Amino acid sequence: MTEPLTHIGKSFQRIDGVDKVTGRARFAPDLRFDHMLHAGLIRSPHAHARVLRIDTASALQLPGVKAVSTIFEVPKVIQYWFFLRTEKKKKEIFLYDDIVRFIGDPVLAIAAVDEKTLEHALSLVRVDYEPLAAIHDPEKALTETGVCLHKKGNIAFRVEKAFGNVEQGFKAADIIVENTYHTSKQKHASLEPIATCIANFESSGKLTVHSSTQLPHWSQHYLAEIMGLPLNRVRVIKPFTGGAFGGRCGLIHGLEAMCSVLSKKTLRPVRMSFSREEDFCATESRHPMIIRMKTGVSRDGVLVANEAEILSDTGAYGTHYIGVLADCLSTGVGLYAIPNYKFSGTAVYTNTSMAGALRGYGNPQMNFAQESQMDILADKLGMDPLALRVKNYRKAGEMDPVLNERILSNGLEECLEKGAAASGWEEKRSRKLQPEFISDGSIKKSPIKKGIGLSIMLHGTGAARALPDPGSAFLMINSDGTVNLHTAAADEGQGSRTVLAQVAAEILGVEFESISVSETDTDITPLDCGTHGSRQAYCGGLTVRDAALDAKKKMLTHAGNVLKVKPDALKIEKGLIFETAHPANAISIKDLMQRLQIQDMGLCTQIMGSASGIAPAMPGYYGAVFAEVEVNTETGEIKVVKLTSAFDVGKAINPEMVKGQIVGGGVMGIGFALTEGLIRKDGHILNPGFTDYRLLRSCDAPPVEAIIVESNEPTGPFGAKGIGEGCMVNVASAIANAVFHATGVRLTNLCMTPEAVLKGLKP
Amino acid sequence: MTEPLTHIGKSFQRIDGVDKVTGRARFAPDLRFDHMLHAGLIRSPHAHARVLRIDTASALQLPGVKAVSTIFEVPKVIQYWFFLRTEKKKKEIFLYDDIVRFIGDPVLAIAAVDEKTLEHALSLVRVDYEPLAAIHDPEKALTETGVCLHKKGNIAFRVEKAFGNVEQGFKAADIIVENTYHTSKQKHASLEPIATCIANFESSGKLTVHSSTQLPHWSQHYLAEIMGLPLNRVRVIKPFTGGAFGGRCGLIHGLEAMCSVLSKKTLRPVRMSFSREEDFCATESRHPMIIRMKTGVSRDGVLVANEAEILSDTGAYGTHYIGVLADCLSTGVGLYAIPNYKFSGTAVYTNTSMAGALRGYGNPQMNFAQESQMDILADKLGMDPLALRVKNYRKAGEMDPVLNERILSNGLEECLEKGAAASGWEEKRSRKLQPEFISDGSIKKSPIKKGIGLSIMLHGTGAARALPDPGSAFLMINSDGTVNLHTAAADEGQGSRTVLAQVAAEILGVEFESISVSETDTDITPLDCGTHGSRQAYCGGLTVRDAALDAKKKMLTHAGNVLKVKPDALKIEKGLIFETAHPANAISIKDLMQRLQIQDMGLCTQIMGSASGIAPAMPGYYGAVFAEVEVNTETGEIKVVKLTSAFDVGKAINPEMVKGQIVGGGVMGIGFALTEGLIRKDGHILNPGFTDYRLLRSCDAPPVEAIIVESNEPTGPFGAKGIGEGCMVNVASAIANAVFHATGVRLTNLCMTPEAVLKGLKP
């Protein structure tokens, strides 16, 4: 595109903004249907047990109780969509058995005419369990032989990869550091509790499910398999969604499948909605990891070897454990050009709620280890941590050894430069940061110590090299030149519908307001992998671009007939199609469409455009975060004063929305660093609510300065690549490095608590 | 298609059958939305008046009353979609003024929180009228100079056409008959009262209207114009519909526009639903016509001249008066090869409820006159009425002089032959039909006289030569080979979704059950003219065929890549794609789709197909009806004993549904002949309910023997053309001819009442 862009790089307001601020947007919990039944779950009080007997007789005798479904008939979903590829693998996605594996694991569901009857009915159910020994510690899962969570053992997955020769690498190193890092069991903690579903199985044999899935088409595929239905009989509709962050990357444990079976039994719509406590205790979380990392560097600051050994706790069942470890691998190995790298990862089962996908998908854990290591090395080298990064990061033109793909764009150096300038890195890093104050007439040292730290990250856009990752779009041009765009690029609140409308408007040469974007509905919107992997601006943008180009080509052919020139002699600007050489020879899109569709009765043709396919690459996007902290050496409290986050997004299609992502990711990253972790004891979750699971409130959040760097990814739509996940990935590591700068205390466990700071400060 | 057909010509059950018989199908009156308001109309008690003042102050003070809209701000719709073609004409569709023109004409609408409040509010409104002189008689509309219904006068439209030289034609005639025929103001009388709408104008500026329109896209266009909205901000959704028959061919007078304005004022969904009485009194009807017809024939039975002069009463406003007269012209002139034809038609305004489109659209009126004339001529010639038709009807290969199009298929002769055989025409026509019975030991004549009559008809399929008549379809093939088909071919109950699914299944080589057909929703389904003019099997079938062929082509290209042959070496049968020369080289559609979409991660492509355009022709379809009657000469009662209806539909895609149309059309035709007419006095409708407006009940309906004739229309999908309207068109004329055969009484007015029979029997 050499033309000046009219719609790309402009911060249009989000198309669902008015609906949301006026409260008219309908989220899943808002939906009600005629004759709807209410369903709820009986959950296991045991961390590990066999269900011997379920007695629902009394419950079923209660007037208004309509049906029961149990784990004897409804499977658990224990894999992700990579397993959809073959008939054999597809079977492995589902587990039918009589074992419950964590406190909160669903045992059965009841559907009743109202919530009161439901509650009463649930209280009448008796379940007999045979308690089994439980494993709460992932390291014990490796060694414990007497307790086995799954048939194949307690190890869900193991991966080993080696690049170069790590042993020789370490021999060549002048400095080697080795540390073990622990990360927390973070929750998505989206504004809307993560699980509400209304399933409606009709007598015609069609199942319609309203659920806020990020992956409408894969949810459809899972449900088709579970219910034994063809895909044209399973319709998944995604309502407005109050945040997702990976928590809706598949079916929700115990939700859609139970509802669908209950609906099939009753031929009525069945609604189930988890409470916030159920959300915290019984839906997926981030994988807590233990990462041992050994890193070697030469005296002049060149990384020569790295070894990472990861133990990932996937909880009672798996879904994304393979992908999450794969992401640790690709982001860990990809970021720095280290010639010798040995990576091993093991995912184990424990008797706790499942881990799954959460923004960053393994990368925040890996980055915390890697970027802490870098800071430690810089300190030992007496080198500016920034310079150490610049020296070692993998630059554009180099090959990514994991993806086996050449890096075509990498704006990391610009991110570091701009972030350093905006954060005052050089000055703050060098001067004495500890403030002094006057008390009793004398100058005293404050207990507050100030510090600044930085970290960088790489995250892949989409999953073209890793998973089936289709994207599709379809659009129709109306007789007044406005456009209806159909895409299943599920918008979970990130604003992708707005971005995709901008792409369509840019290509078609119409106003932004002329583009309407459909709801996400598998009956209507063509196959799309959905929202995951920071993919929608890039993958969604590519397919919308191509669908619009398809329509544009047809439009220009018709315009050429009218204007009596060849289509390639034409241009579109601001809704006008004209001959480039003779701009007066022109027709507006509106007039052309009116003519095609209505006026010329010999044509009566609507222009449609479609595109479907996989993205040509999985480009990395990059970012540098500079965290400024104040650590109270008396209380141990860490206060983040400011984040400066510079991210290379290729091209910001909607700069304000990119900044919104960066700010939001920054705040979520601070939570991951300092406060957000489920506290567990003997399989119980001790903080299942916002009182004790502390999200940053707006008054807790520091300013986040968002800086956009544009490296122009050549495979992307108008140069764009991802942003959604990466902006939270390296916040915790930057904070840890800032705390070290302020206090000399190196914290290797997340969350970083005041207790840990105080412990570190002790001589 | 030389292959044996797998899905065409098979009577699949209708795809919405289960939903309908289980009561789960949601019709417009079933719909409810959160925060929905209820609206109702104040209607004029005057046949003609000026609205001087509307006082809604007391009503608006009533708690729960939310908004009022009046005719001062909401236009009447007074034209049809031909006027959408230019910006200037588009304005003429709408009339804003302060005049009410019939008893029941809407003056204002109120929206309130519930129906009780609404009722109370309506009673508080005061409207001051200045009564104006009214015209109730269409003939007076021509002559009355003091009363003027519309600015342009009382004549809405006038058309004159001449073919050949009619004066010379009559000179050459041996026999000339001239008669005047009157037809009734028939109502659609659909099972579901015709008018229910829920309009929802959202704060985002988007209007969604649920309404059972036959023409979703044109309704969308009208509303966009009225509301000043672009088309991507107007969404029309058509729920299941309980019959339409032309009554929903546009916006309903006072319904959608009023609701939309009320919703815009309140930003809440607004529902309005007409009662059966409102349906009868204030929605469109068939055009009552007075037809003077003069027909000349040579002694050997060759028609030489015809003159038709029509006065059509379009009521207080017009919508379809042009089209209806045009259909009188095309069907009147088209049916018989009469070299000299003079046609004149005048549509006038009267102060009665509007006339509009109703199954047959002018043709039933015209056919009643024409086919009565033919019977009279046959009688005068002493010729078999069947032979007279065979001699004169316009045969395949001849040119249609109105459409200027060669007739490519015409199975009328076969219809006559098969109908005659099945009805026992020859025997019943020739033998003495009056039964005798024994009473008091002697043979007496029964008062019952038996007769048999026939008539033929031509009706056009679609409107390709007359109106903007686009058809479009889009489909997506799922990863299991099932298909989602999007079409706005509105199914009003006639079963077109089922027929279109059969077409898609036939082309794609998949099972019928694999095809799902979308709801009709202008946000989703591409531009389609909707359902009118018997067009959906033909026009809808053509676009679905072409969209499926588009998808099939892409499918075979991919299959060729897999099977390593050229696409044209492949065939599809029963879901299997194989090399014609080596059938073992094969892949199932399901496996291919799975591979394309999920398994082959380098593709991840969904196959979509689309098509849009106008049908290549407007083929006539034909039929012969044989009516057997018993006339009670003492009471004048006419009893139809049996109909034998043979129709040439080109190709019956779903024979049972074609037969359903023929049976239903037969019963509606009997109603038109004998009982269905609004009785009017001084602008009042005296029979606004099913007690006094008599539809045939199932116990009243005689057997209808439906005979399908297939002439294989070369432009049609698999040879198909229309059926929906024609099967009711010539029933009344066949009955009139049978009554003449039984009694010698020639009835020229519809409805044919016992009084008229008795009057005719008097010496």
Side-chain angles (χ1 to χ4, degrees):
Chain A
M1 283 280 166
T2 52
E3 305 296 316
L5 297 171
T6 55
H7 285 83
I8 302 300
K10 299 212 161 34
S11 295
F12 288 92
Q13 280 186 22
R14 51 177 68 211
I15 54 180
D16 48 11
V18 175
D19 281 339
K20 284 184 172 169
V21 297
T22 55
R24 295 178 66 89
R26 309 231 307 165
F27 294 78
D30 300 326
L31 302 179
R32 296 290 183 280
F33 294 91
D34 290 348
H35 312 297
M36 191 177 80
L37 299 175
H38 296 260
L41 292 167
I42 296 276
R43 296 176 177 281
S44 167
H46 301 283
H48 200 189
R50 180 182 305 277
V51 177
L52 299 175
R53 209 171 67 93
I54 298 173
D55 181 357
T56 55
S58 311
L60 281 169
Q61 276 166 22
L62 197 66
V65 172
K66 296 296 178 186
V68 168
S69 60
T70 74
I71 51 166
F72 300 151
E73 52 186 329
V74 183
K76 298 144 184 166
V77 176
I78 61 164
Q79 288 294 352
Y80 66 155
W81 65 93
F82 187 83
F83 285 71
L84 287 171
R85 293 181 65 220
T86 62
E87 285 302 314
K88 186 168 164 282
K89 281 278 175 197
K90 209 185 275 185
K91 306 288 176 211
E92 294 178 28
I93 300 175
F94 307 103
L95 172 64
Y96 290 85
D97 74 4
D98 57 354
I99 307 288
V100 284
R101 294 176 175 84
F102 69 94
I103 295 169
D105 202 355
V107 178
L108 75 151
I110 295 182
V113 289
D114 55 44
E115 286 173 327
K116 205 169 168 184
T117 307
L118 170 64
E119 208 174 316
H120 188 187
L122 290 170
S123 74
L124 296 176
V125 172
R126 189 176 149 186
V127 182
D128 294 339
Y129 299 94
E130 177 196 344
L132 303 171
I135 292 176
H136 301 303
D137 178 347
E139 288 178 311
K140 274 205 180 151
L142 288 175
T143 53
E144 182 74 63
T145 52
V147 184
C148 197
L149 265 76
H150 287 275
K151 270 184 192 155
K152 63 179 181 182
N154 295 332
I155 295 179
F157 178 64
R158 184 157 170 81
V159 56
E160 286 186 29
K161 282 272 178 188
F163 303 87
N165 185 321
V166 79
E167 282 168 25
Q168 284 186 7
F170 281 119
K171 277 182 192 153
D174 296 310
I175 301 169
I176 294 172
V177 295
E178 183 172 352
N179 292 289
T180 299
Y181 300 88
H182 292 77
T183 65
S184 69
K185 188 171 173 74
Q186 189 184 22
K187 267 301 294 173
H188 312 84
S190 52
L191 195 59
E192 176 197 340
I194 216 150
T196 300
C197 164
I198 299 107
N200 188 15
F201 189 94
E202 291 172 278
S203 49
S204 63
K206 177 140 189 175
L207 173 68
T208 301
V209 174
H210 294 258
S211 182
S212 297
T213 170
Q214 293 176 241
L215 318 170
H217 280 98
W218 302 146
S219 293
Q220 178 202 23
H221 278 72
Y222 295 165
L223 285 169
E225 187 71 23
I226 292 171
M227 303 298 289
L229 292 169
L231 289 167
N232 66 329
R233 302 274 177 228
V234 181
R235 177 179 195 175
V236 174
I237 302 174
K238 190 198 82 64
F240 281 102
T241 306
F245 305 116
R248 308 182 200 255
C249 267
L251 298 185
I252 305 273
H253 193 66
L255 187 74
E256 292 97 337
M258 282 286 187
C259 276
S260 298
V261 170
L262 288 172
S263 181
K264 188 175 179 187
K265 288 182 178 186
T266 57
L267 294 177
R268 288 171 67 168
V270 176
R271 175 185 192 267
M272 199 191 291
S273 186
F274 288 4
S275 68
R276 184 66 72 181
E277 185 176 343
E278 288 179 290
D279 182 345
F280 272 111
C281 293
T283 71
E284 297 181 10
S285 70
R286 194 182 289 292
H287 285 78
M289 290 186 186
I290 302 168
I291 306 177
R292 186 185 60 78
M293 194 173 282
K294 183 176 168 186
T295 312
V297 66
S298 71
R299 208 174 316 274
D300 55 355
V302 176
L303 294 170
V304 290
N306 206 70
E307 195 177 320
E309 190 185 345
I310 300 178
L311 182 63
S312 177
D313 179 358
T314 196
Y317 305 98
T319 51
H320 290 263
Y321 53 82
I322 299 174
V324 164
L325 277 178
D327 227 38
C328 291
L329 170 69
S330 64
T331 60
V333 176
L335 182 56
Y336 292 109
I338 310 174
N340 307 295
Y341 205 118
K342 188 176 167 192
F343 178 95
S344 68
T346 309
V348 295
Y349 295 114
T350 62
N351 292 108
T352 185
S353 67
M354 310 86 70
L358 205 170
R359 197 179 196 177
Y361 204 69
N363 197 356
Q365 300 96 309
M366 190 66 181
N367 185 277
F368 178 62
Q370 186 76 55
E371 286 297 281
S372 295
Q373 292 285 93
M374 291 299 285
D375 208 62
I376 295 165
L377 286 172
D379 185 57
K380 290 201 184 292
L381 288 162
M383 193 171 172
D384 180 0
L386 191 153
L388 183 62
R389 264 82 174 187
V390 171
K391 194 157 207 163
N392 287 285
Y393 85 87
R394 205 182 292 275
K395 293 163 185 67
E398 294 182 44
M399 285 296 286
D400 181 302
V402 181
L403 301 181
N404 200 24
E405 203 161 86
R406 196 166 300 280
I407 299 166
L408 300 177
S409 65
N410 185 340
L412 202 39
E413 202 153 340
E414 192 179 337
C415 292
L416 283 164
E417 280 166 15
K418 291 195 167 160
S423 66
W425 167 260
E426 271 192 46
E427 186 209 340
K428 286 176 183 161
R429 188 73 189 177
S430 55
R431 76 178 157 122
K432 189 174 166 56
L433 285 164
Q434 195 176 358
E436 294 168 335
F437 67 105
I438 295 170
S439 169
D440 306 330
S442 62
I443 294 172
K444 287 196 176 172
K445 285 223 176 338
S446 159
I448 304 293
K449 298 206 175 197
K450 290 195 173 192
I452 189 167
L454 74 80
S455 66
I456 62 171
M457 80 96 220
L458 142 76
H459 199 79
T461 307
R465 298 290 171 268
L467 288 166
D469 205 37
S472 307
F474 169 72
L475 57 84
M476 313 184 284
I477 308 186
N478 300 315
S479 71
D480 61 357
T482 60
V483 176
N484 287 88
L485 170 62
H486 294 184
T487 158
D491 194 335
E492 310 297 327
Q494 80 272 30
S496 60
R497 297 168 82 217
T498 307
V499 164
L500 298 180
Q502 289 179 250
V503 171
E506 183 70 48
I507 298 284
L508 293 172
V510 299
E511 294 302 306
F512 174 69
E513 291 72 22
S514 296
I515 313 283
S516 281
V517 186
S518 67
E519 294 161 14
T520 303
D521 177 337
T522 57
D523 257 15
I524 293 159
T525 45
L527 182 73
D528 197 284
C529 190
T531 289
H532 74 100
S534 311
R535 75 188 283 277
Q536 284 306 4
Y538 178 74
C539 303
L542 285 172
T543 48
V544 169
R545 179 194 71 182
D546 292 345
L549 285 172
D550 182 34
K552 183 180 180 177
K553 192 177 162 192
K554 295 171 187 171
M555 196 155 80
L556 291 183
T557 301
H558 284 288
N561 292 341
V562 173
L563 301 176
K564 310 211 179 306
V565 291
K566 286 193 176 160
D568 56 13
L570 295 171
K571 271 178 68 176
I572 309 182
E573 260 175 36
K574 292 188 181 166
L576 196 73
I577 306 173
F578 57 93
E579 189 181 349
T580 318
H582 305 95
N585 187 23
I587 186 168
S588 72
I589 291 176
K590 181 178 168 158
D591 286 348
L592 179 66
M593 292 304 128
Q594 168 74 15
R595 181 192 281 243
L596 281 184
Q597 295 188 20
I598 303 179
Q599 200 173 340
D600 185 339
M601 289 178 9
L603 285 173
C604 287
T605 296
Q606 181 170 40
I607 286 180
M608 297 177 253
S610 65
S612 182
I614 195 150
M618 197 175 148
Y621 62 100
Y622 302 86
V625 171
F626 296 76
E628 217 179 314
V629 301
E630 289 178 1
V631 183
N632 187 320
T633 53
E634 286 176 0
T635 65
E637 191 194 358
I638 300 167
K639 186 180 170 189
V640 179
V641 178
K642 187 190 169 189
L643 291 186
T644 306
S645 297
F647 279 82
D648 163 26
V649 299
K651 172 79 189 173
I653 293 173
N654 187 312
E656 278 306 313
M657 287 210 288
V658 170
K659 287 184 180 177
Q661 285 281 5
I662 294 173
V663 170
V667 172
M668 191 184 234
I670 297 171
F672 181 56
L674 303 182
T675 62
E676 294 187 40
L678 293 174
I679 302 165
R680 288 166 291 161
K681 195 173 179 201
D682 302 335
H684 289 276
I685 305 249
L686 303 181
N687 56 343
F690 283 131
T691 312
D692 298 314
Y693 183 98
R694 279 201 45 221
L695 281 190
L696 265 66
R697 295 162 299 179
S698 61
C699 59
D700 298 324
V704 179
E705 184 172 351
I707 298 168
I708 295 172
V709 168
E710 297 188 321
S711 63
N712 191 23
E713 166 61 31
T715 67
F718 304 100
K721 48 190 181 178
I723 180 59
E725 294 171 281
C727 49
M728 79 76 57
V729 160
N730 56 328
V731 175
S733 49
I735 293 171
N737 295 343
V739 169
F740 180 78
H741 181 229
T743 62
V745 175
R746 172 60 56 188
L747 297 177
T748 54
N749 289 3
L750 295 181
C751 306
M752 296 182 271
T753 60
E755 293 81 354
V757 172
L758 289 178
K759 197 175 160 194
L761 284 169
K762 277 187 196 154
Chain B
M1 283 278 167
T2 52
E3 305 297 317
L5 297 170
T6 56
H7 285 81
I8 303 298
K10 298 213 162 34
S11 295
F12 288 93
Q13 279 187 21
R14 49 179 69 211
I15 56 181
D16 48 11
V18 174
D19 282 338
K20 284 184 171 170
V21 298
T22 55
R24 296 177 66 91
R26 309 231 308 163
F27 294 77
D30 300 326
L31 301 178
R32 296 290 183 280
F33 293 91
D34 291 347
H35 312 297
M36 190 177 79
L37 300 175
H38 296 260
L41 291 168
I42 296 276
R43 296 177 178 277
S44 168
H46 301 283
H48 199 191
R50 180 182 306 278
V51 177
L52 300 175
R53 210 171 68 91
I54 299 173
D55 181 358
T56 56
S58 309
L60 282 167
Q61 276 167 22
L62 197 69
V65 172
K66 296 298 178 186
V68 168
S69 60
T70 74
I71 51 165
F72 300 152
E73 54 186 327
V74 183
K76 296 141 183 166
V77 177
I78 61 163
Q79 289 294 353
Y80 67 154
W81 67 93
F82 186 83
F83 285 71
L84 287 171
R85 294 180 65 218
T86 63
E87 285 303 313
K88 186 168 163 285
K89 281 279 175 196
K90 208 186 274 184
K91 305 290 175 209
E92 294 178 28
I93 300 175
F94 307 103
L95 172 66
Y96 290 86
D97 74 4
D98 56 355
I99 308 288
V100 285
R101 293 177 176 83
F102 69 94
I103 294 169
D105 202 356
V107 178
L108 75 151
I110 295 183
V113 291
D114 55 44
E115 286 173 327
K116 204 170 169 183
T117 307
L118 170 64
E119 208 174 318
H120 188 187
L122 290 170
S123 73
L124 296 176
V125 173
R126 189 176 147 186
V127 183
D128 294 338
Y129 300 93
E130 177 197 342
L132 303 171
I135 293 177
H136 301 303
D137 177 347
E139 290 179 310
K140 274 206 180 148
L142 288 174
T143 54
E144 181 75 65
T145 52
V147 184
C148 197
L149 265 77
H150 287 275
K151 269 184 194 156
K152 63 178 180 182
N154 295 331
I155 295 178
F157 178 66
R158 182 157 173 80
V159 57
E160 287 183 30
K161 283 271 179 189
F163 304 87
N165 186 322
V166 78
E167 282 167 27
Q168 285 187 3
F170 282 118
K171 277 182 195 154
D174 297 308
I175 300 169
I176 295 173
V177 296
E178 181 171 353
N179 292 289
T180 299
Y181 300 87
H182 291 78
T183 66
S184 69
K185 189 170 172 75
Q186 189 184 22
K187 269 299 296 172
H188 311 83
S190 52
L191 195 60
E192 176 196 341
I194 216 153
T196 300
C197 164
I198 299 107
N200 188 14
F201 189 95
E202 291 173 279
S203 49
S204 63
K206 177 140 191 178
L207 172 68
T208 301
V209 174
H210 294 259
S211 182
S212 298
T213 170
Q214 292 175 242
L215 318 168
H217 280 97
W218 301 146
S219 293
Q220 178 202 25
H221 278 71
Y222 295 164
L223 286 167
E225 187 71 22
I226 292 171
M227 303 298 289
L229 293 169
L231 290 166
N232 67 329
R233 304 274 178 229
V234 181
R235 177 180 196 177
V236 174
I237 302 173
K238 191 198 82 65
F240 280 102
T241 305
F245 305 114
R248 309 179 200 256
C249 265
L251 298 185
I252 305 271
H253 193 65
L255 187 75
E256 294 96 337
M258 282 285 185
C259 276
S260 298
V261 170
L262 288 172
S263 182
K264 188 175 180 186
K265 288 183 177 185
T266 56
L267 294 176
R268 288 170 68 168
V270 176
R271 174 185 194 269
M272 199 191 291
S273 187
F274 289 2
S275 68
R276 184 67 71 181
E277 186 177 342
E278 288 179 291
D279 182 343
F280 271 111
C281 294
T283 71
E284 298 181 9
S285 70
R286 192 182 293 288
H287 285 77
M289 289 186 188
I290 302 168
I291 306 178
R292 185 184 63 78
M293 193 173 283
K294 183 176 167 187
T295 311
V297 66
S298 69
R299 207 174 318 272
D300 56 351
V302 176
L303 293 170
V304 289
N306 205 72
E307 195 178 320
E309 189 185 345
I310 301 178
L311 181 64
S312 176
D313 179 358
T314 196
Y317 305 99
T319 51
H320 290 263
Y321 52 83
I322 299 174
V324 164
L325 277 178
D327 228 38
C328 290
L329 170 68
S330 65
T331 59
V333 176
L335 181 56
Y336 292 107
I338 309 175
N340 307 295
Y341 205 116
K342 189 174 166 194
F343 178 96
S344 69
T346 308
V348 295
Y349 295 114
T350 61
N351 290 109
T352 186
S353 67
M354 308 86 70
L358 205 171
R359 197 180 197 177
Y361 204 68
N363 197 358
Q365 298 97 308
M366 189 66 180
N367 185 275
F368 177 61
Q370 186 77 56
E371 288 296 281
S372 295
Q373 291 286 95
M374 292 300 285
D375 209 60
I376 295 165
L377 286 172
D379 185 55
K380 290 198 186 292
L381 287 163
M383 192 171 173
D384 180 0
L386 193 153
L388 183 63
R389 264 81 175 185
V390 170
K391 193 158 208 164
N392 287 285
Y393 84 89
R394 207 182 288 277
K395 293 162 185 70
E398 294 181 45
M399 285 295 286
D400 181 302
V402 181
L403 302 179
N404 201 22
E405 205 162 84
R406 196 168 299 281
I407 299 164
L408 300 177
S409 63
N410 185 342
L412 201 39
E413 203 155 338
E414 191 180 339
C415 292
L416 282 165
E417 280 166 16
K418 291 196 168 161
S423 65
W425 168 258
E426 272 190 47
E427 185 210 340
K428 287 177 184 162
R429 189 73 189 176
S430 57
R431 76 175 157 125
K432 192 174 163 57
L433 287 163
Q434 195 177 356
E436 294 168 335
F437 67 105
I438 295 169
S439 169
D440 304 331
S442 61
I443 293 169
K444 287 193 178 175
K445 284 220 177 339
S446 161
I448 304 292
K449 297 204 175 200
K450 290 196 174 190
I452 189 166
L454 73 80
S455 67
I456 62 171
M457 80 96 221
L458 141 76
H459 200 78
T461 307
R465 297 292 171 267
L467 288 166
D469 205 37
S472 307
F474 169 73
L475 57 82
M476 314 185 285
I477 308 184
N478 299 316
S479 71
D480 61 357
T482 60
V483 176
N484 287 88
L485 170 63
H486 295 185
T487 159
D491 195 335
E492 310 298 327
Q494 79 272 34
S496 60
R497 299 168 80 215
T498 306
V499 164
L500 298 179
Q502 289 179 249
V503 171
E506 183 70 49
I507 297 283
L508 293 171
V510 301
E511 293 302 306
F512 174 71
E513 291 71 23
S514 296
I515 312 282
S516 281
V517 186
S518 68
E519 294 162 15
T520 302
D521 176 339
T522 58
D523 258 15
I524 293 158
T525 44
L527 182 73
D528 197 282
C529 190
T531 289
H532 74 100
S534 312
R535 73 189 282 279
Q536 285 305 4
Y538 179 73
C539 304
L542 285 172
T543 48
V544 168
R545 179 194 72 183
D546 292 346
L549 285 171
D550 183 34
K552 183 179 179 177
K553 191 178 164 191
K554 296 172 187 170
M555 197 156 82
L556 291 183
T557 301
H558 284 288
N561 292 341
V562 173
L563 301 177
K564 308 210 181 306
V565 291
K566 286 193 177 160
D568 56 12
L570 295 171
K571 271 177 69 175
I572 309 181
E573 262 175 34
K574 290 186 184 170
L576 196 72
I577 306 171
F578 58 93
E579 190 180 348
T580 317
H582 306 93
N585 187 24
I587 185 168
S588 72
I589 291 176
K590 180 178 170 159
D591 286 349
L592 179 66
M593 293 303 127
Q594 168 76 13
R595 181 193 280 242
L596 280 184
Q597 295 188 19
I598 303 178
Q599 200 173 341
D600 184 339
M601 288 179 10
L603 286 174
C604 287
T605 297
Q606 183 172 38
I607 285 180
M608 296 175 253
S610 66
S612 181
I614 195 151
M618 197 174 148
Y621 62 101
Y622 301 86
V625 170
F626 296 76
E628 215 178 316
V629 301
E630 290 178 0
V631 183
N632 186 321
T633 53
E634 287 176 1
T635 65
E637 192 193 356
I638 301 166
K639 187 178 170 190
V640 179
V641 179
K642 188 190 169 190
L643 290 186
T644 305
S645 298
F647 279 82
D648 162 26
V649 299
K651 172 80 190 173
I653 294 173
N654 188 312
E656 278 306 314
M657 289 211 287
V658 170
K659 288 185 180 176
Q661 285 281 5
I662 294 173
V663 171
V667 172
M668 191 184 236
I670 297 171
F672 181 55
L674 302 183
T675 61
E676 294 188 39
L678 293 174
I679 302 165
R680 289 166 290 160
K681 196 178 178 196
D682 302 334
H684 290 276
I685 301 230
L686 302 182
N687 57 340
F690 283 132
T691 311
D692 298 313
Y693 183 99
R694 278 198 48 220
L695 281 189
L696 264 67
R697 296 162 298 178
S698 60
C699 60
D700 299 323
V704 180
E705 183 171 351
I707 298 169
I708 296 172
V709 168
E710 299 188 319
S711 62
N712 190 24
E713 166 60 33
T715 67
F718 303 100
K721 47 189 180 179
I723 181 58
E725 294 171 279
C727 50
M728 79 76 58
V729 159
N730 55 327
V731 175
S733 48
I735 293 171
N737 296 342
V739 169
F740 179 79
H741 181 230
T743 63
V745 175
R746 173 60 56 187
L747 298 175
T748 54
N749 289 4
L750 295 181
C751 306
M752 295 182 272
T753 60
E755 291 82 356
V757 172
L758 290 180
K759 199 176 158 190
L761 285 170
K762 276 186 197 155

